[in-house]
Amino acid sequence: MIELILFGTFAVLLLLGVPVAFSMGLSAFAAIIWQSGLQGLIPASSVLYAGLSSETLLAIPFFILAGTIMEVTGISARLIEFADACVGHRKTGIALTTILVALLFSSISGSGPATVAAIGGILIPALAKKGYSRRHAASLVASAGELGIIIPPSIAYIVFAVVAADYERVSIGRLFMAGVVPGLILLVGLYIVAVFLPRAGEAAKANAKQHADLAMGRISRRGSRREQAGNVAEAGEPGGGDVAGGVREGSAAAGAAAASGGVAAGGGVSAGAANAVLAVDDEPAPALSVDVVRTQRASWPEIWRAFYRAVPGLLVPVIILGGIYGGIFTPTESAAVACVYGLVVGLFVVRELKLKDLPTLFVTAGLASGRIMLIIATATVFAYVITRNQIARTVADWLLSLTDNWVVIVLLINLILLIAGMFIDAISAFYLFVPLFVPVMLELDMDITTIGVMMTMNLALGLITPPVGIDLFVAAGIAKIPFMTAVKGIWPFLGVGIVVLMLVTFVPVLSNGLPDLLGL
């Protein structure tokens, strides 16, 4: 009965639109009151306080502040500039730039939505300018944002280590390294999908050529070849100077370029050609704040200059991870050091952060940290009810009674986590499902490190899966397209993510190999 009250109340509150933090707290309090009366809330208050007083959890607000500082100081733009200088000249260079920058910024922020927000404002318009439809641009950036909680340092790994400590201890440093190889495999998978995404160039050429042929047919019925040439140059027929409402204006040569597919000087897709396909997404993409639509290979001096400008951002993961694995400081201390480093860089090196900006910056980071810590507080009480009533043991017995095949059990757990990730955030999910599923998977002789990476990847996929999909919502907002339009472009990326998830689940060496090699 207690299970029905706990999970039933939680589900009803979620369906009513109550925020996850309050849903978990209210359902836990309801279960406690039903079982022990109001006096049962006295120990629950102690549990709530204990859940927030963990020294390890101090790393979360520090990492959030560090990511906020790096975003405000323009580090993301510098990383984009460097990645674009290295690979932007390739045919699919802008897609590779997007994924590489997401990888680099993920190693700073530790958050998926923060990564999408930091890079999306520049890269979604750049992708659109390179001929990708805005739904594909938004879905690529949102998918790359998954790396935010897979690549170290990750807030998700910190929370998992804290919650799973009741069942088997695992160091945060080991989890950080365990996420590197799966993250890189996911990066390669996302890029492969991006290579095969349809782009405006070819489609616009075919569309413009069809309109041009129709125009030429009309002209031939009107008169001579001399009249045809004059009309093609200036008549404004479909396929002329304004293909599908294109905005490129100029001479007859410009009109002819638009008619033949709109390839602008230097190899870029012209506005007219791009709009021929992008018109299905209605509004134009936001204006570029940094020009990353490169058509020629950067010279070595340009690459060196971009690298020099990006060094402050590139040093952040080196300081954080190098300090942890060098035994200089703990993960919590590394997050604090990253904050101090970010402030010094912003105020005295790049000088894009002013003293007057600090109050706003601290309030922004404080609000984000407060939301997360509120979730942790109420989720701790929720997990306490599960543990106190041995609900985890009941769930474990039920799963093990379904089948003797461990593969089927693990697949079922993955399915439940994928569905849960569609509706609730990673932190809440860890407090909800770690007590339920970790004992089961440990009983199946799965390694705790593999379990942590597997659960994190499941919840990372939830960031891009409708109906919630926080990363996808952020990307759609930046691209100024409806959420459901962005959903149409996400499925190939989601498919790749599931394939990588299966590899991580059933090939433990992918998550354990690097930590074992480093002796963690």
Side-chain angles (χ1 to χ4, degrees), residues 173-236:
R174 180 177 176 84
L175 286 173
F176 277 0
M177 281 295 100
V180 171
V181 174
L184 293 177
I185 295 174
L186 179 60
L187 181 151
V188 173
L190 294 178
Y191 180 62
I192 291 172
V193 172
V195 167
F196 292 99
L197 283 180
R199 297 173 67 185
E202 291 78 6
K205 278 185 181 181
N207 190 33
K209 186 177 183 301
Q210 182 179 12
H211 285 310
D213 290 342
L214 290 173
M216 292 296 289
R218 295 188 191 121
I219 292 169
S220 64
R221 289 193 295 270
R222 292 177 188 171
S224 66
R225 290 184 178 180
R226 183 176 300 174
E227 292 172 334
Q228 293 174 20
N231 286 334
V232 168
E234 59 187 334

Side-chain angles (χ1 to χ4, degrees), residues 175-424:
L175 286 173
F176 277 0
M177 281 295 100
V180 171
V181 174
L184 293 177
I185 295 174
L186 179 60
L187 181 151
V188 173
L190 294 178
Y191 180 62
I192 291 172
V193 172
V195 167
F196 292 99
L197 283 180
R199 297 173 67 185
E202 291 78 6
K205 278 185 181 181
N207 190 33
K209 186 177 183 301
Q210 182 179 12
H211 285 310
D213 290 342
L214 290 173
M216 292 296 289
R218 295 188 191 121
I219 292 169
S220 64
R221 289 193 295 270
R222 292 177 188 171
S224 66
R225 290 184 178 180
R226 183 176 300 174
E227 292 172 334
Q228 293 174 20
N231 286 334
V232 168
E234 59 187 334
E237 292 278 353
D242 292 319
V243 178
V247 296
R248 179 177 294 275
E249 298 177 356
S251 63
S260 63
V263 180
V269 179
S270 75
N275 285 345
V277 171
L278 297 183
V280 298
D281 287 332
D282 299 321
E283 300 178 23
L288 277 170
S289 57
V290 176
D291 186 10
V292 292
V293 187
R294 182 178 294 276
T295 57
Q296 296 179 348
R297 182 188 295 271
S299 64
W300 283 109
E302 288 178 316
I303 294 175
W304 170 252
R305 188 162 51 250
F307 171 75
Y308 179 77
R309 285 172 49 79
V311 163
L314 296 174
L315 283 178
V316 176
V318 175
I319 293 172
I320 294 173
L321 301 179
I324 293 173
Y325 302 121
I328 301 173
F329 36 66
T330 66
T332 301
E333 292 167 346
S334 73
V337 169
C339 293
V340 175
Y341 171 81
L343 288 173
V344 171
V345 168
L347 291 170
F348 305 111
V349 180
V350 302
R351 297 182 180 179
E352 295 188 21
L353 183 63
K354 308 299 180 184
L355 288 175
K356 65 179 182 180
D357 299 328
L358 293 183
T360 302
L361 186 150
F362 290 143
V363 168
T364 301
L367 289 173
S369 300
R371 285 190 289 268
I372 291 178
M373 300 310 287
L374 177 61
I375 292 173
I376 290 175
T378 57
T380 301
V381 181
F382 194 95
Y384 161 75
V385 176
I386 291 175
T387 304
R388 177 186 173 186
N389 291 278
Q390 296 186 333
I391 296 175
R393 183 70 260 170
T394 303
V395 173
D397 292 340
W398 173 72
L399 283 173
L400 294 173
S401 69
L402 292 177
T403 177
D404 294 330
N405 190 327
W406 73 274
V407 174
V408 174
I409 295 174
V410 173
L411 287 175
L412 181 60
I413 291 173
N414 273 306
L415 178 62
I416 294 172
L417 290 172
L418 281 171
I419 295 173
M422 298 179 188
F423 300 96
I424 59 178

